Amino acid sequence: ESRFSFIILDEAQDLKNHLEKFAQLIHNSKIRTYFLGDCNQNINGGGKWFDELESTRFLSNSFRCPESNCKWIRENLNIEIYGNNDKSEFNIIPLNDALSLDDGSRVLLYSAASGSIKDIVNKWSSEKHTIKEAKGKTIDKDIVIVGKSLNTKSYYTAITRTTRNVFSTINKIS
């Protein structure tokens, strides 16, 4: 307590196991702590205690995600987020069209490589990541999100990775 005036922990929604216990110890100490995080991005199974903390400040502006993508998120995922104004677009495409977008300028994001998605992932020659791998990254390229369904948190996390256009094959949000 004598060494630090305050401590800032970012990505608090992802803390789990010993890191979650450590964060709780700091929170319960006399050190002023600030926990930063987005419970809508809690896709790694951590931060259960974080969801129970009372927020002292709520920010809904993204400096990474374009407003077109944020508008789609607000209207379809019911998450309040606002982005920067630009000319990007959110596009729903058929799953069969995903590989036609593999031109070296787009990044493929997917939850798991199984079923028909596995074939697309295996044939995709450009950059590709699972949504969990892409978490925390800013992708300054168009992204192609493939799958038939995604849960809200994974879909939100995937969409908010890019500063550009989104092409998505998701037709069911759970």
Side-chain angles (χ1 to χ4, degrees), residues 19-174:
L19 295 175
E20 185 171 14
K21 298 260 189 251
F22 179 69
Q24 287 176 305
L25 287 171
I26 293 171
H27 178 67
N28 294 331
S29 74
K30 294 180 183 171
I31 302 171
R32 189 173 33 175
T33 50
Y34 298 95
F35 295 97
L36 310 176
D38 185 344
C39 53
N40 293 308
Q41 287 190 40
N42 188 355
I43 64 172
N44 292 325
K48 290 171 183 43
W49 66 277
F50 174 76
D51 287 340
E52 296 171 4
L53 291 176
E54 187 174 324
S55 178
T56 56
R57 190 167 179 203
F58 176 80
L59 303 175
S60 59
N61 292 332
S62 172
F63 297 98
R64 168 178 46 211
C65 189
E67 174 55 25
S68 58
N69 300 348
C70 291
K71 181 179 181 202
W72 191 92
I73 290 168
R74 287 192 308 273
E75 292 174 354
N76 295 279
L77 302 182
N78 298 317
I79 297 172
E80 186 179 345
I81 183 173
Y82 298 88
N84 55 46
N85 288 322
D86 66 356
K87 295 184 169 119
S88 294
E89 295 180 2
F90 187 94
N91 306 279
I92 299 290
I93 61 167
L95 187 60
N96 294 341
D97 290 352
L99 280 172
S100 70
L101 298 172
D102 184 12
D103 64 0
S105 69
R106 297 181 178 99
V107 177
L108 183 73
L109 297 181
Y110 60 97
S111 182
S114 59
S116 57
I117 305 309
K118 184 176 183 178
D119 190 46
I120 294 169
V121 171
N122 289 339
K123 289 180 180 177
W124 191 268
S125 62
S126 303
E127 185 179 353
K128 57 189 166 190
H129 304 281
T130 65
I131 295 169
K132 284 188 176 187
E133 289 171 342
K135 188 167 174 2
K137 293 183 181 186
T138 296
I139 300 172
D140 196 27
K141 296 180 178 180
D142 292 350
I143 60 170
V144 179
I145 304 169
V146 293
K148 294 180 180 176
S149 68
L150 268 179
N151 69 48
T152 300
K153 289 181 179 184
S154 292
Y155 204 18
Y156 170 82
T157 300
I159 294 167
T160 58
R161 296 307 89 206
T162 187
T163 60
R164 303 219 180 155
N165 297 309
V166 172
F167 297 87
S168 173
T169 68
I170 306 300
N171 55 30
K172 182 181 175 193
I173 305 166
S174 55

